[in-house]
Every structure is written in structure tokens, then in C-alpha cells.
Amino acid sequence: MYVSDCLTLNEKGHLAIGGCDTVDIASAFGTPAYVYDENEIIANCRAFSKSVERCYGGNGMVLYASKAFCCKEICRICGREGLGLDVVSGGELFTALSAGFDPRRIYFHGNNKTHAELCQALENGVGRIVVDNIFELRHLSELAARYVKTAEILLRIKPGIDAHTHDFIKTGQIDSKFGFALETGEAMQAVKTALQLENISLAGVHCHIGSQIFDIDPFELAARVMLDFIAAAKAETGFEIRELNLGGGFGIQYLKSDRPTPFEDYMEKVSEVIKSYSGQLGVKTPFVLIEPGRAIVGAAGITLYTVGAVKEIPDVRTYVSVDGGMGDNPRYVLYQSRYEVVCANKAAEKRDFTATVAGKCCESGDLIQEWTHIQPVEPGDILAVLSTGAYNYSMASNYNRICRPPVIMVKDGQPRVVVKRETFEQLTQNDI
Ligand code: LLP
């Protein structure tokens, strides 16, 4: 009925998440609030792990891309589920370590890791550092020598695939701030440098071709391009790269009309390519990693708001203003992302009212959704925006000095706070 299996209509005609009435959650914890169903997150973790296990045997691993939603509790959940973690900043790394996440299962990404971040990674013994550029490679070698450690690295490669155009252009992505280019020979040079440098151990290569991708073809092509590179590196240096990290990007359903490819199909097809093509190229089948972010948490989360002013502008449109906005969900403003919106306390009624859902920020563009179909609403109603589990909390800001909402985790019908609502005191705590 809804875009996510964890959402249902209960006997009161209210929207429920994980068996919990969202209207009760709103009155118990206030709005705006992010609400997640833990069982849905767990089911997604298990589905990915199972699929990797089935397609690669013991020769693969799932990393959760924590940029999609990072807090201690999600790190604990992913840790318990046996996933590794992709972090991209000192802050994400700190969060994971504070949650007791095993550092050996952490992969540290980023195109411009600071000196302090590289030190933090080395001091804490993160499993892999994904090196983005030659400056970082040399810097890391020097630092690792100072720490008397060997940094296990992957090299981030731009495979030259733009997954966002339908006939993906093989050279388009050379213009990207991430990684080493293949076409120019930069990537091969990086392999040679990594093999020469002290205190560096080259474990593998990484690529990430984009996000919210619905087709399998660009993923297959990326796998081929990366295997070609592994084979070419073997031919040139005699060294065989063991790990292939194919990044994330698996699309999810935001609207009921969205038709993302089931990731099992992706896993099946891409693993077939990897197994058969590596054989053809005469290289060992690499250890394969994938880094889903959105697909683990996106559909497991919703945002609850309270409706304030409803402003009908005759012959123009009706604005329904809520107590949140671009501060807690900047994705419509940034990408015109589509979402389903449901009036949680009138969920059984028809969605025959066309509205523009606006936030409370002092900015005309502060919209959550335009021309969306919802139930007829009035002030005090609870509005739920669905599939907001990925890149909403993690991209939230304090614009207009609005406090960021809490995160409520529901498990087996029981809600609990996993991130508290920000307070005015916290907003001003660093002000002198
Ligand atoms: N691995 C790497 C290296 C990445 O850069 C990303 C996402 C992922 C994994 C996870 O991708 P996912 O499975 O979540 O698609 N803010 C944008 C999304 C930016 C994604 C950045 N990198 C949004 O709100 O749609």
C-alpha cells in the first residue's frame, strides 16, 4: 500500500510504522521527528548480506555507507548485523568508534582527508583507507612511517561511467573531483607509486558510479572496467590486486511509480560478470565489497510534522506549512526529489487534495514537495513524508537557528529516542 513494507494503515485509520501509531509517536515525542523502523533496517542489512553470501560465497562483504544516516545507534545495528562501515570524515569515524564499531571493519573514504583525519584513522587502526589522489598517497606513507604502521589502502578509481545518463558516456566522468583517472594513465601510475612507497600496502581498488541508480548495466560495465584495470596492473607490475569495492548507488522507491531494480538481480548479474570475466582475463576473482547507504535506511525512515497554516491562494495553489522544512530535509530544494506525503491521522481518507508542502524557513524555496496529493488537511494534523531515512537527518542544518529533530527508532511496536532533539542551549553552546 505504501512505498515501504514497514508502513501500514492501522485500525484507527492512522499511519503506523513498525506497528506503532505515528500519531501517538508525534504526541509522545513532538514534531518534527524522524522515525525509523529498526526491523526494516535489519531486514535490509540481512538481505544484502545474504545476497553477497549467495553470489560470492565467503568472498564478499557489505559495508554500510554511513553518510546516508549516521548516529551511534545505526552503527551498533550494522555492527550487530556483521556489516562493515564506510565513513567519510573524522566525525563519522568518531561516531562509529564511540559506538564500539570494530575499526578493522571501517573503510575511510574522502577526496580531501585532512592531516588530522589521516592521523585519526591510523591511530585507531581503521581497516582500509581509500586513497583518492597522489598527494594523499604520499602524505599517508609519511604519516604511517611516523606511526610505525602499514596503511592498508584501496585506490579510488574513476571508471569513466556516468550512470545518470541513460547511454552512459565512458569519458564523461573524467571531470570529477573523486579518484584517479584511468584514461590518462594516472590510475596505473598510482598503483606503481603505491607499490613503491614505504608503509603502504595496496589491498584493492574502489569505484562508485553514482546514487539512486535504477539500471544494472552501468554497474556491470563498471565491474568490467575495474577488472580490466586489475588485469592491466597485473600485466604491468606483476602485482595482483585482491579487493574490488564497487561502491553503492542502489536505487529505492520514493514514489509508488518508481521501479528500482531489485538488488538481488544486480548482485546476481554483476557477480556473474565478475566471476566469468576475471577468469577470461586470467586474474583471480577478487574479494568484492559493496557500499549501500540509501538502500539500507531510506525506506525505513519517515519524517513527521505538524501542519500549521494552510494558505489557499485562489487560482494559484495551496501552501500547507509544517513545523520543519529545508533544515531537516534539503533534498527537494537541492535535487527536486520526489516524496509521498500522507496525513498520518487521516491516512484512511482519499488523497484528493493538491498541496505544496512548505517549511518554516525564511526562504521562498523552502519547500518539501510541490503539487503533491494528500488528504485534505487542517492546522494540527500530522503530516508524514515517506522514505526520508537516507540523506535527510545526515544533511540537516540549523538554518534560521532551528533545532534539528530527534530520531525515534521503533522496534516491535516500541519507540525509543536514539538521537535527542536539539535544544536552544546546544545551538548557542559554541557562541562566545
Ligand atoms: N560509497 C561511496 C563512495 C559514496 O560516495 C556513496 C554515496 C555511497 C557509497 C552510498 O551511495 P548510496 O547507496 O546511498 O546511493 N546526498 C545525495 C546522495 C549523495 C551520495 C554520495 N555518495 C542524496 O540525497 O540523494
Side-chain angles (χ1 to χ4, degrees):
M1 177 171 183
Y2 296 109
V3 280
S4 171
D5 294 340
C6 63
L7 300 172
T8 47
L9 180 67
N10 71 12
E11 64 296 340
K12 288 188 185 157
H14 294 173
L15 179 72
I17 178 164
C20 217
D21 191 319
T22 56
V23 179
D24 293 344
I25 295 176
S27 64
F29 300 99
T31 59
Y34 301 107
V35 189
Y36 286 80
D37 178 31
E38 183 171 346
N39 285 340
E40 177 78 15
I41 296 174
I42 291 173
N44 292 335
C45 291
R46 291 185 185 170
F48 269 104
S49 298
K50 241 173 106 179
S51 181
V52 164
E53 186 56 35
R54 189 171 57 80
C55 293
Y56 296 103
N59 211 23
M61 178 174 170
V62 182
L63 308 175
Y64 166 61
S66 66
K67 70 207 79 182
F69 166 49
C70 183
C71 67
K72 287 190 197 175
E73 191 64 358
I74 189 72
C75 294
R76 290 186 200 107
I77 294 170
C78 289
R80 280 199 296 271
E81 289 304 312
L83 270 59
L85 210 65
D86 148 1
V87 301
V88 76
S89 70
E92 286 183 355
L93 176 57
F94 181 82
T95 306
L97 295 171
S98 314
F101 205 92
D102 178 358
R104 290 165 304 177
R105 295 175 73 79
I106 297 179
Y107 284 57
F108 198 163
H109 286 270
N111 69 301
N112 193 24
K113 301 172 200 77
T114 62
H115 178 83
E117 285 174 329
L118 289 175
C119 292
Q120 188 189 0
L122 288 167
E123 278 164 19
N124 290 289
V126 306
R128 300 278 185 273
I129 297 177
V130 184
V131 173
D132 178 89
N133 56 72
I134 202 75
F135 165 76
E136 182 179 288
L137 186 56
R138 294 189 191 285
H139 186 179
L140 182 61
S141 163
E142 282 168 27
L143 270 183
R146 253 186 263 166
Y147 280 93
V148 202
K149 287 192 173 176
T150 298
E152 294 266 348
I153 66 157
L154 307 188
L155 293 173
R156 173 143 187 182
I157 310 290
K158 314 183 210 196
I161 296 159
D162 181 357
H164 292 292
T165 56
H166 274 286
D167 52 336
F168 25 95
I169 308 151
K170 288 184 95 182
T171 52
Q173 282 298 90
I174 195 170
D175 181 10
S176 160
K177 70 168 184 170
F178 295 107
F180 295 95
L182 283 179
E183 297 92 329
T184 58
E186 187 191 23
M188 190 60 77
Q189 190 51 50
V191 169
K192 291 178 186 164
T193 308
L195 292 176
Q196 280 161 10
L197 283 173
E198 301 285 329
N199 303 81
I200 293 286
S201 164
L202 176 60
V205 282
H206 170 275
C207 71
H208 171 76
I209 57 169
S211 203
Q212 185 60 0
I213 301 170
F214 279 25
D215 306 328
I216 298 182
D217 298 359
F219 286 115
E220 276 189 47
L221 185 58
R224 279 179 193 278
V225 169
M226 296 298 280
L227 284 171
D228 280 334
F229 181 68
I230 290 174
K234 184 182 175 188
E236 274 206 37
T237 66
F239 180 82
E240 192 153 345
I241 290 167
R242 306 181 307 277
E243 286 183 19
L244 174 56
N245 184 331
L246 291 170
F250 315 99
I252 64 160
Q253 221 183 9
Y254 283 99
L255 299 181
K256 273 201 256 172
S257 52
D258 289 338
R259 293 276 168 271
T261 308
F263 67 80
E264 290 84 2
D265 298 358
Y266 153 87
M267 217 69 83
E268 187 91 41
K269 285 231 172 127
V270 173
S271 65
E272 275 163 22
V273 167
I274 288 181
K275 284 180 260 184
S276 65
Y277 197 50
S278 55
Q280 281 173 39
L281 293 170
V283 293
K284 285 198 203 85
T285 305
F287 185 88
V288 175
L289 298 115
I290 54 163
E291 299 173 329
R294 193 189 311 267
I296 301 276
V297 290
I302 62 173
T303 311
L304 298 178
Y305 302 101
T306 300
V307 173
V310 178
K311 195 173 285 180
E312 189 192 335
I313 309 176
D315 303 323
V316 181
R317 60 165 120 186
T318 302
Y319 284 97
V320 171
S321 292
V322 295
D323 52 356
M326 63 190 283
D328 63 78
N329 183 357
R331 295 190 71 256
Y332 185 74
V333 179
L334 281 172
Y335 321 117
Q336 293 74 54
S337 307
R338 303 294 309 279
Y339 288 100
E340 292 218 10
V341 187
V342 175
C343 179
N345 53 306
K346 296 177 177 164
E349 293 176 25
K350 269 214 178 102
R351 283 151 77 171
D352 55 4
F353 176 59
T354 304
T356 288
V357 180
K360 69 193 296 311
C361 288
C362 200
E363 177 138 346
S364 312
D366 170 27
L367 305 174
I368 298 278
Q369 207 62 191
E370 288 179 276
W371 309 107
T372 186
H373 299 296
I374 58 177
Q375 293 82 359
V377 290
E378 56 201 330
D381 281 342
I382 302 298
L383 223 50
V385 179
L386 313 186
S387 292
T388 58
Y391 304 108
N392 279 234
Y393 170 77
S394 64
M395 289 172 72
S397 79
N398 290 123
Y399 182 44
N400 289 171
R401 288 235 148 166
I402 293 170
C403 297
R404 278 174 293 188
V407 179
I408 315 298
M409 191 69 74
V410 172
K411 184 157 165 71
D412 303 328
Q414 290 301 320
R416 69 185 191 281
V417 177
V418 298
V419 179
K420 293 187 222 167
R421 185 183 301 284
E422 247 175 356
T423 62
F424 291 148
E425 289 69 28
Q426 287 168 332
L427 286 180
T428 50
Q429 71 186 354
N430 295 330
D431 294 9
I432 308 294

mmCIF file of all heavy atoms in Angstrom, residues 2 18 79 93 105 107 121 134 151 159-160 194 205 225 241 274 330 332 336 349 366 381 409-410 430:
data_model
loop_
_atom_site.group_PDB
_atom_site.id
_atom_site.type_symbol
_atom_site.label_atom_id
_atom_site.label_comp_id
_atom_site.label_asym_id
_atom_site.label_seq_id
_atom_site.Cartn_x
_atom_site.Cartn_y
_atom_site.Cartn_z
ATOM 1 N N TYR A 2 1.923 1.252 0.820
ATOM 2 C CA TYR A 2 2.830 2.392 0.836
ATOM 3 C C TYR A 2 4.162 2.005 0.196
ATOM 4 O O TYR A 2 4.399 0.832 -0.099
ATOM 5 C CB TYR A 2 3.052 2.872 2.281
ATOM 6 C CG TYR A 2 1.795 3.401 2.922
ATOM 7 C CD1 TYR A 2 1.158 2.700 3.936
ATOM 8 C CD2 TYR A 2 1.237 4.606 2.489
ATOM 9 C CE1 TYR A 2 -0.002 3.180 4.517
ATOM 10 C CE2 TYR A 2 0.071 5.090 3.063
ATOM 11 C CZ TYR A 2 -0.544 4.374 4.077
ATOM 12 O OH TYR A 2 -1.702 4.848 4.634
ATOM 13 N N GLY A 18 6.270 0.219 11.683
ATOM 14 C CA GLY A 18 6.734 -0.886 12.533
ATOM 15 C C GLY A 18 5.695 -1.249 13.586
ATOM 16 O O GLY A 18 6.045 -1.604 14.712
ATOM 17 N N GLY A 79 26.802 -3.021 13.135
ATOM 18 C CA GLY A 79 27.843 -3.858 13.760
ATOM 19 C C GLY A 79 27.274 -5.218 14.161
ATOM 20 O O GLY A 79 27.850 -6.265 13.857
ATOM 21 N N LEU A 93 33.800 8.783 11.556
ATOM 22 C CA LEU A 93 34.687 7.796 12.179
ATOM 23 C C LEU A 93 34.551 7.847 13.702
ATOM 24 O O LEU A 93 34.424 6.806 14.360
ATOM 25 C CB LEU A 93 36.149 8.057 11.751
ATOM 26 C CG LEU A 93 37.207 7.167 12.392
ATOM 27 C CD1 LEU A 93 36.922 5.682 12.149
ATOM 28 C CD2 LEU A 93 38.609 7.522 11.861
ATOM 29 N N ARG A 105 36.848 -3.093 10.554
ATOM 30 C CA ARG A 105 35.796 -3.226 9.534
ATOM 31 C C ARG A 105 35.343 -1.859 9.016
ATOM 32 O O ARG A 105 34.291 -1.733 8.407
ATOM 33 C CB ARG A 105 34.609 -4.010 10.109
ATOM 34 C CG ARG A 105 34.998 -5.449 10.449
ATOM 35 C CD ARG A 105 33.870 -6.194 11.118
ATOM 36 N NE ARG A 105 32.793 -6.541 10.208
ATOM 37 C CZ ARG A 105 32.811 -7.555 9.351
ATOM 38 N NH1 ARG A 105 33.880 -8.320 9.269
ATOM 39 N NH2 ARG A 105 31.774 -7.805 8.578
ATOM 40 N N TYR A 107 36.064 1.412 6.577
ATOM 41 C CA TYR A 107 36.746 1.880 5.368
ATOM 42 C C TYR A 107 36.626 3.393 5.331
ATOM 43 O O TYR A 107 35.512 3.923 5.397
ATOM 44 C CB TYR A 107 36.093 1.262 4.113
ATOM 45 C CG TYR A 107 36.466 -0.188 3.907
ATOM 46 C CD1 TYR A 107 36.216 -1.130 4.890
ATOM 47 C CD2 TYR A 107 37.092 -0.600 2.736
ATOM 48 C CE1 TYR A 107 36.574 -2.455 4.716
ATOM 49 C CE2 TYR A 107 37.460 -1.935 2.550
ATOM 50 C CZ TYR A 107 37.197 -2.845 3.543
ATOM 51 O OH TYR A 107 37.564 -4.153 3.379
ATOM 52 N N ALA A 121 42.670 8.019 11.627
ATOM 53 C CA ALA A 121 42.474 6.702 11.007
ATOM 54 C C ALA A 121 43.616 5.766 11.401
ATOM 55 O O ALA A 121 43.383 4.598 11.751
ATOM 56 C CB ALA A 121 42.402 6.850 9.492
ATOM 57 N N ILE A 134 47.220 11.437 -5.449
ATOM 58 C CA ILE A 134 48.641 11.150 -5.252
ATOM 59 C C ILE A 134 49.215 11.912 -4.059
ATOM 60 O O ILE A 134 50.069 11.412 -3.334
ATOM 61 C CB ILE A 134 49.434 11.436 -6.560
ATOM 62 C CG1 ILE A 134 50.740 10.664 -6.572
ATOM 63 C CG2 ILE A 134 49.628 12.899 -6.835
ATOM 64 C CD1 ILE A 134 50.584 9.206 -6.842
ATOM 65 N N ALA A 151 49.740 1.177 6.277
ATOM 66 C CA ALA A 151 48.362 1.534 5.924
ATOM 67 C C ALA A 151 47.896 0.622 4.799
ATOM 68 O O ALA A 151 48.515 0.561 3.732
ATOM 69 C CB ALA A 151 48.295 2.994 5.490
ATOM 70 N N PRO A 159 35.942 5.147 -13.035
ATOM 71 C CA PRO A 159 35.855 4.196 -14.155
ATOM 72 C C PRO A 159 35.362 4.837 -15.446
ATOM 73 O O PRO A 159 35.267 4.171 -16.464
ATOM 74 C CB PRO A 159 34.893 3.134 -13.636
ATOM 75 C CG PRO A 159 34.060 3.835 -12.650
ATOM 76 C CD PRO A 159 34.870 4.940 -12.064
ATOM 77 N N GLY A 160 35.025 6.119 -15.424
ATOM 78 C CA GLY A 160 34.603 6.786 -16.665
ATOM 79 C C GLY A 160 33.188 6.436 -17.062
ATOM 80 O O GLY A 160 32.862 6.393 -18.239
ATOM 81 N N ALA A 194 52.094 3.334 -5.270
ATOM 82 C CA ALA A 194 51.666 2.663 -4.035
ATOM 83 C C ALA A 194 52.541 1.445 -3.755
ATOM 84 O O ALA A 194 52.879 1.157 -2.594
ATOM 85 C CB ALA A 194 50.206 2.249 -4.149
ATOM 86 N N VAL A 205 41.103 -1.828 -5.162
ATOM 87 C CA VAL A 205 40.645 -0.649 -5.892
ATOM 88 C C VAL A 205 39.151 -0.443 -5.622
ATOM 89 O O VAL A 205 38.433 -1.392 -5.292
ATOM 90 C CB VAL A 205 40.893 -0.770 -7.415
ATOM 91 C CG1 VAL A 205 42.344 -0.508 -7.747
ATOM 92 C CG2 VAL A 205 40.432 -2.108 -7.963
ATOM 93 N N VAL A 225 35.220 -2.707 -16.328
ATOM 94 C CA VAL A 225 36.287 -1.713 -16.437
ATOM 95 C C VAL A 225 37.301 -1.910 -15.292
ATOM 96 O O VAL A 225 38.519 -1.859 -15.505
ATOM 97 C CB VAL A 225 35.693 -0.279 -16.403
ATOM 98 C CG1 VAL A 225 36.764 0.777 -16.235
ATOM 99 C CG2 VAL A 225 34.878 -0.012 -17.667
ATOM 100 N N ILE A 241 45.922 -7.255 -7.664
ATOM 101 C CA ILE A 241 45.055 -6.535 -6.715
ATOM 102 C C ILE A 241 43.959 -7.490 -6.236
ATOM 103 O O ILE A 241 43.287 -8.123 -7.044
ATOM 104 C CB ILE A 241 44.474 -5.278 -7.408
ATOM 105 C CG1 ILE A 241 45.611 -4.259 -7.627
ATOM 106 C CG2 ILE A 241 43.330 -4.675 -6.612
ATOM 107 C CD1 ILE A 241 45.264 -3.115 -8.559
ATOM 108 N N ILE A 274 31.693 -10.702 -12.765
ATOM 109 C CA ILE A 274 32.981 -10.716 -12.059
ATOM 110 C C ILE A 274 33.624 -12.103 -12.135
ATOM 111 O O ILE A 274 34.811 -12.229 -12.439
ATOM 112 C CB ILE A 274 32.800 -10.241 -10.598
ATOM 113 C CG1 ILE A 274 32.523 -8.733 -10.620
ATOM 114 C CG2 ILE A 274 34.030 -10.565 -9.751
ATOM 115 C CD1 ILE A 274 32.335 -8.074 -9.308
ATOM 116 N N PRO A 330 16.684 18.853 3.054
ATOM 117 C CA PRO A 330 17.074 19.768 1.979
ATOM 118 C C PRO A 330 16.994 19.150 0.594
ATOM 119 O O PRO A 330 17.376 19.778 -0.393
ATOM 120 C CB PRO A 330 18.535 20.085 2.329
ATOM 121 C CG PRO A 330 19.024 18.841 3.003
ATOM 122 C CD PRO A 330 17.840 18.231 3.712
ATOM 123 N N TYR A 332 14.539 18.305 -1.535
ATOM 124 C CA TYR A 332 13.696 18.874 -2.597
ATOM 125 C C TYR A 332 14.345 20.153 -3.131
ATOM 126 O O TYR A 332 14.410 20.371 -4.340
ATOM 127 C CB TYR A 332 12.266 19.139 -2.096
ATOM 128 C CG TYR A 332 11.377 19.596 -3.232
ATOM 129 C CD1 TYR A 332 10.938 18.687 -4.183
ATOM 130 C CD2 TYR A 332 11.034 20.933 -3.375
ATOM 131 C CE1 TYR A 332 10.176 19.094 -5.265
ATOM 132 C CE2 TYR A 332 10.254 21.354 -4.447
ATOM 133 C CZ TYR A 332 9.836 20.430 -5.391
ATOM 134 O OH TYR A 332 9.092 20.840 -6.461
ATOM 135 N N GLN A 336 15.193 18.579 -6.251
ATOM 136 C CA GLN A 336 13.773 18.403 -6.612
ATOM 137 C C GLN A 336 13.338 16.947 -6.402
ATOM 138 O O GLN A 336 12.610 16.365 -7.202
ATOM 139 C CB GLN A 336 13.470 18.820 -8.074
ATOM 140 C CG GLN A 336 13.609 20.306 -8.352
ATOM 141 C CD GLN A 336 15.057 20.749 -8.415
ATOM 142 O OE1 GLN A 336 15.838 20.177 -9.168
ATOM 143 N NE2 GLN A 336 15.446 21.728 -7.619
ATOM 144 N N GLU A 349 -8.346 8.277 4.603
ATOM 145 C CA GLU A 349 -9.122 9.111 3.663
ATOM 146 C C GLU A 349 -8.428 9.213 2.313
ATOM 147 O O GLU A 349 -7.244 8.940 2.186
ATOM 148 C CB GLU A 349 -9.308 10.522 4.262
ATOM 149 C CG GLU A 349 -10.195 10.529 5.490
ATOM 150 C CD GLU A 349 -10.291 11.916 6.134
ATOM 151 O OE1 GLU A 349 -10.093 12.923 5.440
ATOM 152 O OE2 GLU A 349 -10.545 11.948 7.355
ATOM 153 N N ASP A 366 11.945 27.204 0.346
ATOM 154 C CA ASP A 366 11.903 26.191 1.407
ATOM 155 C C ASP A 366 10.640 25.343 1.275
ATOM 156 O O ASP A 366 9.641 25.575 1.955
ATOM 157 C CB ASP A 366 11.954 26.905 2.769
ATOM 158 C CG ASP A 366 11.679 25.964 3.922
ATOM 159 O OD1 ASP A 366 11.945 24.762 3.776
ATOM 160 O OD2 ASP A 366 11.192 26.437 4.976
ATOM 161 N N ASP A 381 -3.045 18.844 12.107
ATOM 162 C CA ASP A 381 -2.896 17.491 11.546
ATOM 163 C C ASP A 381 -1.414 17.107 11.514
ATOM 164 O O ASP A 381 -0.538 17.971 11.490
ATOM 165 C CB ASP A 381 -3.444 17.431 10.113
ATOM 166 C CG ASP A 381 -4.968 17.322 10.074
ATOM 167 O OD1 ASP A 381 -5.566 16.959 11.108
ATOM 168 O OD2 ASP A 381 -5.549 17.615 9.005
ATOM 169 N N MET A 409 13.539 5.510 17.090
ATOM 170 C CA MET A 409 13.655 4.174 16.491
ATOM 171 C C MET A 409 12.520 3.309 17.047
ATOM 172 O O MET A 409 12.316 3.260 18.257
ATOM 173 C CB MET A 409 15.023 3.579 16.870
ATOM 174 C CG MET A 409 15.425 2.329 16.142
ATOM 175 S SD MET A 409 15.802 2.546 14.377
ATOM 176 C CE MET A 409 17.390 3.355 14.399
ATOM 177 N N VAL A 410 11.799 2.672 16.144
ATOM 178 C CA VAL A 410 10.706 1.791 16.573
ATOM 179 C C VAL A 410 11.149 0.351 16.380
ATOM 180 O O VAL A 410 11.724 0.014 15.337
ATOM 181 C CB VAL A 410 9.446 2.049 15.703
ATOM 182 C CG1 VAL A 410 8.357 1.025 15.988
ATOM 183 C CG2 VAL A 410 8.919 3.455 15.920
ATOM 184 N N ASN A 430 28.527 26.970 21.410
ATOM 185 C CA ASN A 430 29.860 27.371 20.956
ATOM 186 C C ASN A 430 29.982 28.874 20.711
ATOM 187 O O ASN A 430 31.038 29.359 20.320
ATOM 188 C CB ASN A 430 30.236 26.621 19.668
ATOM 189 C CG ASN A 430 30.359 25.130 19.910
ATOM 190 O OD1 ASN A 430 30.711 24.712 21.016
ATOM 191 N ND2 ASN A 430 30.072 24.332 18.909
#
